Amino acid sequence: MERNGWFGWERLEAPRATRDELSRVHSLRHVDLIAELSARGGGAIDLDTSAVAGTYEAALRAAGGAVALVDALLRDGEPCGVAALRPPGHHASAARAMGFCFFNNVAVAAAHARAAHAAERVLILDWDVHHGNGTNDIFQADPAVLFCSIHEWPLYPGTGPSDDVGSGAGEGFTVNMPVPGGSGDDVHLSLVEHVVAPLIRAWEPQLVLVSAGFDAHRADPLATLRLTEAGFAGMTASLRRACADVGAPIGLVLEGGYAVEALAASMAALVPVLGAAEVPRAVDVEVHPLARAASERLAQLGSMRRM
Ligand SMILES: [Zn+2]
């Protein structure tokens, strides 16, 4: 990003999330637990997830940066933005840190859009290679936040089968799209173009957030998907076209991605697409059988008729 002059984007320091902002999603007991663990110098939470002395401060700013992104989009009228922050968030549930995640940044951001900006409908697309189990849990029964996830299956954390469609009032507002190991750009591009983009056009969210992990990249050591930089840019173009059609701003929140050069190259490929003055032109994307199956499942859900 530095080599490209940050593509002319304005860079802002992430503020700390407040307790009020965190408490829309997390128990304060959980927030205090992370604070106390960091104050003691850190320690292990589970096999994957350890805090160090600086974790609480970093996690506060990761969540706060996602909140600031929502303010920029919904208060200041910016059309797009990126919260390029770590630690990631999508595995954190209301009361539990796991999978390198402490506070669920994208969930805190969506809750902020609802509470502070009266957004009635927020759509989250999680394209991190791992299922966003924390986000899925937090909005499981919430019909105001439509959670879509494309993830490798089977893979950590083992959640997110296609028949998890939400529950209670939120039934039909969770769209899980597991894909087999080895899948490439074509599957993701079709799922975004033929499932997620039509959902955006049908449901007309006031805000679209992306849990943007880059561990589905072919170079990533933690998974086996085969995405390229062009795939990430293509998904971004697809989302931008749909968002332009309904007038929704779009914000990316960084999640995973463990091949640093691949993460950087993917960001450098998608940021110009995200920020381009012109809406990217439509391209033909072949309908993948998984996208056809997902569309058919959605059509059968009674909840979708409420849209
Ligand atoms: Zn991941």
Side-chain angles (χ1 to χ4, degrees):
M1 295 297 287
E2 259 166 15
R3 280 203 296 271
N4 289 288
W6 295 83
F7 296 97
W9 284 40
E10 184 186 6
R11 293 172 63 195
L12 302 170
E13 186 175 277
R16 296 181 187 93
T18 65
R19 284 174 75 79
D20 276 355
E21 287 160 359
L22 293 172
S23 71
R24 293 178 186 135
V25 162
H26 294 291
S27 69
L28 285 177
R29 190 172 173 278
H30 171 69
V31 175
D32 291 337
L33 206 89
I34 304 303
E36 286 157 20
L37 191 60
S38 289
R40 288 204 305 271
I45 293 171
D46 63 28
L47 281 175
D48 299 312
T49 314
S50 290
V52 294
T55 292
Y56 181 57
E57 172 74 9
L60 283 181
R61 287 185 185 268
V67 167
L69 170 63
V70 168
D71 286 338
L73 299 174
L74 294 183
R75 183 193 61 206
D76 306 337
E78 295 290 346
C80 61
V82 177
L85 295 152
R86 288 277 171 82
H90 73 151
H91 294 308
S93 62
R96 186 177 175 204
M98 64 178 270
F100 318 149
C101 301
F102 300 90
F103 303 139
N104 194 315
N105 309 321
V106 82
V108 171
H112 183 69
R114 301 266 298 119
H117 301 290
E120 292 169 357
R121 295 176 304 282
V122 178
L123 185 142
I124 300 173
L125 169 62
D126 186 329
W127 75 40
D128 187 280
V129 79
H130 303 98
H131 178 239
N133 60 294
T135 318
N136 193 120
D137 276 4
I138 288 163
F139 299 117
Q140 175 81 14
D142 188 346
V145 178
L146 204 169
F147 176 67
C148 306
S149 178
I150 307 172
H151 46 275
E152 181 174 340
W153 177 279
L155 190 69
Y156 180 91
T159 48
S162 56
D163 62 1
D164 176 0
V165 296
S167 59
E171 188 179 336
F173 293 87
T174 297
V175 181
N176 278 304
M177 294 169 278
V179 303
S183 301
D185 287 339
D186 57 330
V187 182
H188 273 62
L189 285 170
S190 177
L191 288 171
V192 174
E193 179 68 23
H194 302 124
V195 182
V196 180
L199 274 173
I200 291 171
R201 292 186 175 98
W203 197 53
E204 299 183 10
Q206 287 107 345
L207 172 67
V208 171
L209 294 170
V210 181
S211 260
F214 294 92
D215 39 12
H217 193 283
R218 62 193 309 154
D220 198 275
L222 262 57
T224 73
L225 296 193
R226 310 280 304 155
L227 267 67
T228 67
E229 293 89 310
F232 288 104
M235 290 194 289
T236 304
S238 205
L239 290 177
R240 260 214 69 187
R241 282 192 294 274
C243 286
D245 286 348
V246 302
I250 176 169
L252 268 60
V253 178
L254 183 62
E255 299 285 359
Y258 307 97
V260 177
E261 287 300 326
L263 195 169
S266 300
M267 281 284 286
L270 73 76
V271 162
V273 176
L274 191 61
E278 296 282 310
V279 176
R281 253 184 306 174
V283 291
D284 274 342
V285 177
E286 199 179 328
V287 181
H288 191 276
L290 285 174
R292 191 174 296 117
S295 300
E296 283 166 7
R297 272 197 311 278
L298 286 178
Q300 286 166 6
L301 281 169
S303 51
M304 286 296 144
R305 286 197 290 272
R306 289 205 295 267
M307 287 184 175

